[in-house]
């Protein structure tokens, strides 16, 4: 339910021209709620004026658009409205060109000057597109265009507001957007509008462009670097990594497809790997490392031993890990600090099972998020692991999609997990009982591509639901939906 204050605020904004005229008369303590309601209801005229006359040094989307005492709706968990985002940007532009007193709806107050507009934390789900909302790519482009236009507008006229505004954003860049984003970052240097990147995600970007972009980023702002689909290999990574390592406050590094090039002499590959390890040792604040689809067989000890502090999130999906890799991780200082662990795509059914169980035991006190998609875990391995798995008392998320589990295995997991009071989401596979003519053991590709008997699976879903109801856990989501934005980002844990 909404509070009376929220309902009154919504009513005030019904007539936008009148609301804009009333802003000087309203207590500034109401501005945060006014902003949320205007953003939610797409009151773009009011929203632009709110940004234009914002009375505080900080305007933060993460603070203003979250669930609050007056409204339980968390707008950060939704794609932002295109109209509302454009209104915010227009309000910022108007503010930069506003006289200190004068002709606007109200003069720009000099007592409280906006210094930081924090637009980070917007939903970046990468799924279905709604033409009425903005993706992170669209947000990046809109902010970049504003920076370029501000610089091209020339010097600020005498008597206009000249206090620079730092705009904090999460930037997404690919081949198509690279050129104008680079221009925006260059334009913001010495400009009244200073672009500051918190999280950078570069997709399918050539090595030289990635380096050029990294050189333009503020070392004091960057929190995460995420390089996707670049297929750098060790040779390319050895060129990029020193430019990443200069960001001493970097907390999250996400790399993919790090492996040797079979066309290179092995001595060059080893030199590149040693250089990569030396650069990794420069990070002092790193807490999350993702090395998905990287060939790390027998090398995990070399990689993790170089780090200066324990990791809290480690993603090693499809890394061809060996038993000695898992044993090392279980005995390392990282295990006891892990909140998130992703071992998807590594076969844990044979000689890796016992080392994996040792790792799970070592991480049981802190683990919140465990992803084991396509790990070849059948009922036998699950039953052997359940006593250790259920000791992970703080576990909130368990991903088991793509494993050859039967209905009996899922029911046993459901019953035993009753002891895990914090568990909220289980992404489970389609039970092998629901397939016809399945080879055994079934390869993950078969489980992912073969058709299932929909009637059998409907009965499975109904039975699981009844078991959850009977155990008083209707709030726990059991689903086969791996695309439902259920996996938590490290920074949200």
């Amino acid at each position: 339910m909404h509070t009376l204050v929220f309902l009154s605020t919504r009513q005030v904004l019904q007539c936008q021209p009148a609301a804009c005229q009333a802003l000087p008369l309203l207590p500034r303590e109401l501005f945060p709620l006014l902003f949320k309601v205007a953003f939610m209801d797409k009151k773009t005229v009011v929203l632009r004026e709110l940004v234009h006359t914002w009375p505080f040094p900080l305007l933060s989307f993460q603070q203003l658009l979250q669930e609050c005492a007056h409204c339980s709706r968390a707008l950060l968990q939704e794609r932002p409205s295109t109209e509302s985002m454009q209104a915010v940007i227009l309000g910022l532009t108007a503010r930069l060109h506003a006289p200190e007193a004068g002709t606007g709806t109200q003069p720009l107050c000099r007592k409280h000057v906006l210094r930081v507009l924090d637009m980070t934390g917007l939903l970046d789900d990468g799924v279905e597109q709604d033409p009425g909302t903005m993706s992170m790519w669209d947000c990046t482009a809109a902010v970049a265009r504003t920076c370029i236009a501000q610089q091209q507008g020339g010097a600020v006229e005498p008597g206009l507001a000249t206090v620079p505004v730092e705009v904090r954003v999460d930037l997404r860049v690919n081949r198509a957007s690279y050129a104008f984003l680079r221009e925006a970052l260059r334009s913001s240097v010495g400009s009244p509008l200073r672009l500051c990147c918190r999280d950078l995600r570069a997709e399918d970007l050539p090595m030289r462009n990635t380096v050029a972009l990294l050189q333009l980023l503020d070392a004091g702002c960057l929190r995460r670097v995420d390089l996707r689909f670049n297929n750098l290999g060790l040779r390319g990574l050895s060129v990029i990594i020193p430019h990443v390592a200069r960001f001493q406050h970097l907390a999250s590094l996400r790399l993919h497809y790090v492996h040797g090039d079979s066309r290179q002499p092995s001595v060059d590959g080893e030199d590149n790997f040693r250089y990569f390890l030396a650069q990794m040792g420069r990070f002092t604040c790193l807490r999350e490392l993702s090395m998905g689809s990287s060939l790390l067989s027998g090398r995990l000890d070399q990689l993790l031993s170089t780090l200066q502090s324990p990791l809290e999130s480690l993603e090693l999906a499809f890394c061809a890990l060996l038993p000695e890799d898992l044993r090392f991780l279980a005995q390392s200082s990282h295990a006891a600090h892990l909140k998130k662990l992703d071992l998807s795509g590594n076969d844990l059914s044979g000689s890796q099972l016992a080392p994996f169980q040792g790792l799970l035991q070592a991480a049981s006190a802190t683990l919140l998020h465990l992803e084991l998609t396509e790990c070849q875990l059948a009922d036998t391995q699950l039953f052997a692991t359940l006593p250790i798995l259920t000791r992970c008392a703080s576990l909130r998320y368990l991903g088991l999609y793509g494993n050859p589990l039967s209905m009996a295995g899922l029911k046993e997991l459901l019953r035993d997990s009753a002891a895990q009071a914090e568990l909220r989401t289980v992404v489970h596979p389609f039970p092998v009982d629901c397939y016809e003519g399945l080879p055994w053991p079934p390869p993950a590709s078969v489980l992912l591509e073969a058709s299932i008997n929909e009637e059998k699976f409907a009965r499975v879903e109904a039975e699981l639901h009844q078991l959850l109801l009977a155990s008083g856990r209707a709030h726990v989501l059991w689903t086969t939906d791996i695309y439902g934005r259920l996996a938590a980002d490290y920074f949200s844990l």
Side-chain angles (χ1 to χ4, degrees), residues 272-291:
N272 286 329
F273 189 64
R274 281 194 294 268
Y275 182 72
F276 168 65
L277 295 178
Q279 295 298 314
M280 290 296 292
R282 294 173 57 188
F283 294 108
T284 58
C285 299
L286 198 65
R287 294 294 178 270
E288 177 180 51
L289 180 62
S290 175
M291 299 288 289

PDB file of all heavy atoms in Angstrom, residues 272-291:
ATOM      1  N   ASN A 272      53.447 -15.260 -21.909  1.00  0.00           N
ATOM      2  CA  ASN A 272      52.236 -14.426 -21.808  1.00  0.00           C
ATOM      3  C   ASN A 272      51.464 -14.739 -20.531  1.00  0.00           C
ATOM      4  O   ASN A 272      50.939 -13.832 -19.883  1.00  0.00           O
ATOM      5  CB  ASN A 272      51.334 -14.657 -23.029  1.00  0.00           C
ATOM      6  CG  ASN A 272      51.881 -14.005 -24.281  1.00  0.00           C
ATOM      7  OD1 ASN A 272      52.547 -12.973 -24.220  1.00  0.00           O
ATOM      8  ND2 ASN A 272      51.603 -14.608 -25.431  1.00  0.00           N
ATOM      9  N   PHE A 273      51.389 -16.013 -20.175  1.00  0.00           N
ATOM     10  CA  PHE A 273      50.651 -16.385 -18.967  1.00  0.00           C
ATOM     11  C   PHE A 273      51.351 -15.861 -17.716  1.00  0.00           C
ATOM     12  O   PHE A 273      50.711 -15.353 -16.798  1.00  0.00           O
ATOM     13  CB  PHE A 273      50.507 -17.914 -18.898  1.00  0.00           C
ATOM     14  CG  PHE A 273      49.590 -18.372 -17.798  1.00  0.00           C
ATOM     15  CD1 PHE A 273      48.249 -18.046 -17.803  1.00  0.00           C
ATOM     16  CD2 PHE A 273      50.073 -19.147 -16.748  1.00  0.00           C
ATOM     17  CE1 PHE A 273      47.396 -18.471 -16.793  1.00  0.00           C
ATOM     18  CE2 PHE A 273      49.234 -19.576 -15.731  1.00  0.00           C
ATOM     19  CZ  PHE A 273      47.891 -19.229 -15.756  1.00  0.00           C
ATOM     20  N   ARG A 274      52.681 -15.953 -17.678  1.00  0.00           N
ATOM     21  CA  ARG A 274      53.423 -15.430 -16.530  1.00  0.00           C
ATOM     22  C   ARG A 274      53.263 -13.913 -16.419  1.00  0.00           C
ATOM     23  O   ARG A 274      53.136 -13.379 -15.309  1.00  0.00           O
ATOM     24  CB  ARG A 274      54.896 -15.808 -16.647  1.00  0.00           C
ATOM     25  CG  ARG A 274      55.202 -17.245 -16.248  1.00  0.00           C
ATOM     26  CD  ARG A 274      56.691 -17.469 -16.054  1.00  0.00           C
ATOM     27  NE  ARG A 274      57.405 -17.330 -17.315  1.00  0.00           N
ATOM     28  CZ  ARG A 274      57.653 -18.359 -18.134  1.00  0.00           C
ATOM     29  NH1 ARG A 274      57.231 -19.575 -17.836  1.00  0.00           N
ATOM     30  NH2 ARG A 274      58.337 -18.166 -19.245  1.00  0.00           N
ATOM     31  N   TYR A 275      53.244 -13.244 -17.549  1.00  0.00           N
ATOM     32  CA  TYR A 275      53.055 -11.789 -17.534  1.00  0.00           C
ATOM     33  C   TYR A 275      51.652 -11.440 -17.031  1.00  0.00           C
ATOM     34  O   TYR A 275      51.464 -10.513 -16.237  1.00  0.00           O
ATOM     35  CB  TYR A 275      53.275 -11.212 -18.931  1.00  0.00           C
ATOM     36  CG  TYR A 275      53.137  -9.702 -18.987  1.00  0.00           C
ATOM     37  CD1 TYR A 275      54.108  -8.877 -18.426  1.00  0.00           C
ATOM     38  CD2 TYR A 275      52.028  -9.111 -19.587  1.00  0.00           C
ATOM     39  CE1 TYR A 275      53.983  -7.500 -18.467  1.00  0.00           C
ATOM     40  CE2 TYR A 275      51.888  -7.743 -19.637  1.00  0.00           C
ATOM     41  CZ  TYR A 275      52.874  -6.935 -19.077  1.00  0.00           C
ATOM     42  OH  TYR A 275      52.733  -5.575 -19.112  1.00  0.00           O
ATOM     43  N   PHE A 276      50.655 -12.212 -17.497  1.00  0.00           N
ATOM     44  CA  PHE A 276      49.280 -12.024 -17.026  1.00  0.00           C
ATOM     45  C   PHE A 276      49.188 -12.210 -15.511  1.00  0.00           C
ATOM     46  O   PHE A 276      48.568 -11.400 -14.801  1.00  0.00           O
ATOM     47  CB  PHE A 276      48.359 -13.009 -17.754  1.00  0.00           C
ATOM     48  CG  PHE A 276      46.978 -13.113 -17.178  1.00  0.00           C
ATOM     49  CD1 PHE A 276      46.104 -12.043 -17.210  1.00  0.00           C
ATOM     50  CD2 PHE A 276      46.552 -14.300 -16.583  1.00  0.00           C
ATOM     51  CE1 PHE A 276      44.819 -12.147 -16.679  1.00  0.00           C
ATOM     52  CE2 PHE A 276      45.283 -14.413 -16.051  1.00  0.00           C
ATOM     53  CZ  PHE A 276      44.417 -13.326 -16.107  1.00  0.00           C
ATOM     54  N   LEU A 277      49.832 -13.240 -14.998  1.00  0.00           N
ATOM     55  CA  LEU A 277      49.816 -13.492 -13.554  1.00  0.00           C
ATOM     56  C   LEU A 277      50.473 -12.351 -12.787  1.00  0.00           C
ATOM     57  O   LEU A 277      49.970 -11.925 -11.733  1.00  0.00           O
ATOM     58  CB  LEU A 277      50.541 -14.806 -13.236  1.00  0.00           C
ATOM     59  CG  LEU A 277      49.904 -16.093 -13.766  1.00  0.00           C
ATOM     60  CD1 LEU A 277      50.772 -17.286 -13.395  1.00  0.00           C
ATOM     61  CD2 LEU A 277      48.489 -16.265 -13.235  1.00  0.00           C
ATOM     62  N   ALA A 278      51.579 -11.829 -13.302  1.00  0.00           N
ATOM     63  CA  ALA A 278      52.270 -10.729 -12.630  1.00  0.00           C
ATOM     64  C   ALA A 278      51.382  -9.491 -12.550  1.00  0.00           C
ATOM     65  O   ALA A 278      51.347  -8.797 -11.524  1.00  0.00           O
ATOM     66  CB  ALA A 278      53.565 -10.405 -13.366  1.00  0.00           C
ATOM     67  N   GLN A 279      50.621  -9.225 -13.619  1.00  0.00           N
ATOM     68  CA  GLN A 279      49.728  -8.068 -13.623  1.00  0.00           C
ATOM     69  C   GLN A 279      48.547  -8.287 -12.672  1.00  0.00           C
ATOM     70  O   GLN A 279      48.094  -7.354 -12.010  1.00  0.00           O
ATOM     71  CB  GLN A 279      49.218  -7.796 -15.045  1.00  0.00           C
ATOM     72  CG  GLN A 279      50.298  -7.378 -16.027  1.00  0.00           C
ATOM     73  CD  GLN A 279      50.969  -6.083 -15.617  1.00  0.00           C
ATOM     74  OE1 GLN A 279      50.318  -5.106 -15.253  1.00  0.00           O
ATOM     75  NE2 GLN A 279      52.299  -6.070 -15.651  1.00  0.00           N
ATOM     76  N   MET A 280      48.062  -9.520 -12.588  1.00  0.00           N
ATOM     77  CA  MET A 280      46.964  -9.813 -11.668  1.00  0.00           C
ATOM     78  C   MET A 280      47.381  -9.546 -10.224  1.00  0.00           C
ATOM     79  O   MET A 280      46.552  -9.182  -9.376  1.00  0.00           O
ATOM     80  CB  MET A 280      46.522 -11.267 -11.820  1.00  0.00           C
ATOM     81  CG  MET A 280      45.804 -11.572 -13.116  1.00  0.00           C
ATOM     82  SD  MET A 280      44.233 -10.692 -13.288  1.00  0.00           S
ATOM     83  CE  MET A 280      43.273 -11.488 -11.998  1.00  0.00           C
ATOM     84  N   GLY A 281      48.646  -9.701  -9.928  1.00  0.00           N
ATOM     85  CA  GLY A 281      49.137  -9.455  -8.579  1.00  0.00           C
ATOM     86  C   GLY A 281      49.147  -7.996  -8.192  1.00  0.00           C
ATOM     87  O   GLY A 281      49.391  -7.664  -7.022  1.00  0.00           O
ATOM     88  N   ARG A 282      48.869  -7.089  -9.144  1.00  0.00           N
ATOM     89  CA  ARG A 282      48.856  -5.656  -8.844  1.00  0.00           C
ATOM     90  C   ARG A 282      47.548  -5.202  -8.206  1.00  0.00           C
ATOM     91  O   ARG A 282      47.487  -4.144  -7.586  1.00  0.00           O
ATOM     92  CB  ARG A 282      49.105  -4.846 -10.116  1.00  0.00           C
ATOM     93  CG  ARG A 282      50.497  -5.023 -10.714  1.00  0.00           C
ATOM     94  CD  ARG A 282      50.612  -4.340 -12.057  1.00  0.00           C
ATOM     95  NE  ARG A 282      50.288  -2.904 -11.980  1.00  0.00           N
ATOM     96  CZ  ARG A 282      50.166  -2.108 -13.048  1.00  0.00           C
ATOM     97  NH1 ARG A 282      50.341  -2.607 -14.259  1.00  0.00           N
ATOM     98  NH2 ARG A 282      49.869  -0.830 -12.898  1.00  0.00           N
ATOM     99  N   PHE A 283      46.481  -5.984  -8.375  1.00  0.00           N
ATOM    100  CA  PHE A 283      45.176  -5.576  -7.844  1.00  0.00           C
ATOM    101  C   PHE A 283      45.161  -5.715  -6.322  1.00  0.00           C
ATOM    102  O   PHE A 283      45.522  -6.754  -5.780  1.00  0.00           O
ATOM    103  CB  PHE A 283      44.051  -6.423  -8.451  1.00  0.00           C
ATOM    104  CG  PHE A 283      43.857  -6.224  -9.921  1.00  0.00           C
ATOM    105  CD1 PHE A 283      44.228  -7.212 -10.832  1.00  0.00           C
ATOM    106  CD2 PHE A 283      43.317  -5.050 -10.416  1.00  0.00           C
ATOM    107  CE1 PHE A 283      44.054  -7.043 -12.189  1.00  0.00           C
ATOM    108  CE2 PHE A 283      43.133  -4.864 -11.781  1.00  0.00           C
ATOM    109  CZ  PHE A 283      43.502  -5.855 -12.671  1.00  0.00           C
ATOM    110  N   THR A 284      44.691  -4.672  -5.666  1.00  0.00           N
ATOM    111  CA  THR A 284      44.641  -4.688  -4.199  1.00  0.00           C
ATOM    112  C   THR A 284      43.220  -4.801  -3.660  1.00  0.00           C
ATOM    113  O   THR A 284      43.032  -5.150  -2.497  1.00  0.00           O
ATOM    114  CB  THR A 284      45.291  -3.419  -3.628  1.00  0.00           C
ATOM    115  OG1 THR A 284      44.615  -2.262  -4.149  1.00  0.00           O
ATOM    116  CG2 THR A 284      46.768  -3.346  -4.002  1.00  0.00           C
ATOM    117  N   CYS A 285      42.231  -4.480  -4.495  1.00  0.00           N
ATOM    118  CA  CYS A 285      40.837  -4.451  -4.016  1.00  0.00           C
ATOM    119  C   CYS A 285      39.951  -5.461  -4.728  1.00  0.00           C
ATOM    120  O   CYS A 285      38.729  -5.427  -4.546  1.00  0.00           O
ATOM    121  CB  CYS A 285      40.254  -3.046  -4.202  1.00  0.00           C
ATOM    122  SG  CYS A 285      41.127  -1.755  -3.291  1.00  0.00           S
ATOM    123  N   LEU A 286      40.527  -6.348  -5.527  1.00  0.00           N
ATOM    124  CA  LEU A 286      39.718  -7.271  -6.324  1.00  0.00           C
ATOM    125  C   LEU A 286      38.961  -8.247  -5.422  1.00  0.00           C
ATOM    126  O   LEU A 286      39.547  -8.900  -4.566  1.00  0.00           O
ATOM    127  CB  LEU A 286      40.619  -8.047  -7.281  1.00  0.00           C
ATOM    128  CG  LEU A 286      39.928  -8.734  -8.455  1.00  0.00           C
ATOM    129  CD1 LEU A 286      39.314  -7.704  -9.383  1.00  0.00           C
ATOM    130  CD2 LEU A 286      40.909  -9.616  -9.227  1.00  0.00           C
ATOM    131  N   ARG A 287      37.637  -8.323  -5.628  1.00  0.00           N
ATOM    132  CA  ARG A 287      36.793  -9.226  -4.843  1.00  0.00           C
ATOM    133  C   ARG A 287      36.028 -10.209  -5.717  1.00  0.00           C
ATOM    134  O   ARG A 287      35.544 -11.224  -5.219  1.00  0.00           O
ATOM    135  CB  ARG A 287      35.793  -8.399  -4.001  1.00  0.00           C
ATOM    136  CG  ARG A 287      36.450  -7.549  -2.934  1.00  0.00           C
ATOM    137  CD  ARG A 287      37.095  -8.401  -1.865  1.00  0.00           C
ATOM    138  NE  ARG A 287      37.783  -7.602  -0.842  1.00  0.00           N
ATOM    139  CZ  ARG A 287      39.043  -7.233  -0.889  1.00  0.00           C
ATOM    140  NH1 ARG A 287      39.796  -7.592  -1.920  1.00  0.00           N
ATOM    141  NH2 ARG A 287      39.584  -6.514   0.071  1.00  0.00           N
ATOM    142  N   GLU A 288      35.896  -9.910  -6.996  1.00  0.00           N
ATOM    143  CA  GLU A 288      35.203 -10.821  -7.918  1.00  0.00           C
ATOM    144  C   GLU A 288      36.081 -11.076  -9.136  1.00  0.00           C
ATOM    145  O   GLU A 288      36.624 -10.153  -9.737  1.00  0.00           O
ATOM    146  CB  GLU A 288      33.865 -10.244  -8.379  1.00  0.00           C
ATOM    147  CG  GLU A 288      33.173 -11.163  -9.403  1.00  0.00           C
ATOM    148  CD  GLU A 288      31.840 -10.646  -9.892  1.00  0.00           C
ATOM    149  OE1 GLU A 288      31.777  -9.485 -10.318  1.00  0.00           O
ATOM    150  OE2 GLU A 288      30.857 -11.406  -9.845  1.00  0.00           O
ATOM    151  N   LEU A 289      36.204 -12.352  -9.502  1.00  0.00           N
ATOM    152  CA  LEU A 289      36.943 -12.738 -10.700  1.00  0.00           C
ATOM    153  C   LEU A 289      36.115 -13.749 -11.474  1.00  0.00           C
ATOM    154  O   LEU A 289      35.681 -14.764 -10.929  1.00  0.00           O
ATOM    155  CB  LEU A 289      38.299 -13.347 -10.327  1.00  0.00           C
ATOM    156  CG  LEU A 289      39.177 -13.809 -11.499  1.00  0.00           C
ATOM    157  CD1 LEU A 289      39.544 -12.648 -12.406  1.00  0.00           C
ATOM    158  CD2 LEU A 289      40.430 -14.513 -10.983  1.00  0.00           C
ATOM    159  N   SER A 290      35.880 -13.450 -12.756  1.00  0.00           N
ATOM    160  CA  SER A 290      35.162 -14.368 -13.634  1.00  0.00           C
ATOM    161  C   SER A 290      36.069 -14.710 -14.807  1.00  0.00           C
ATOM    162  O   SER A 290      36.556 -13.821 -15.499  1.00  0.00           O
ATOM    163  CB  SER A 290      33.866 -13.722 -14.149  1.00  0.00           C
ATOM    164  OG  SER A 290      33.227 -14.573 -15.084  1.00  0.00           O
ATOM    165  N   MET A 291      36.293 -15.999 -15.029  1.00  0.00           N
ATOM    166  CA  MET A 291      37.184 -16.470 -16.094  1.00  0.00           C
ATOM    167  C   MET A 291      36.454 -17.486 -16.965  1.00  0.00           C
ATOM    168  O   MET A 291      37.019 -18.516 -17.350  1.00  0.00           O
ATOM    169  CB  MET A 291      38.441 -17.092 -15.484  1.00  0.00           C
ATOM    170  CG  MET A 291      39.275 -16.168 -14.631  1.00  0.00           C
ATOM    171  SD  MET A 291      40.160 -14.920 -15.570  1.00  0.00           S
ATOM    172  CE  MET A 291      41.388 -15.934 -16.384  1.00  0.00           C
TER     173      MET A 291
END
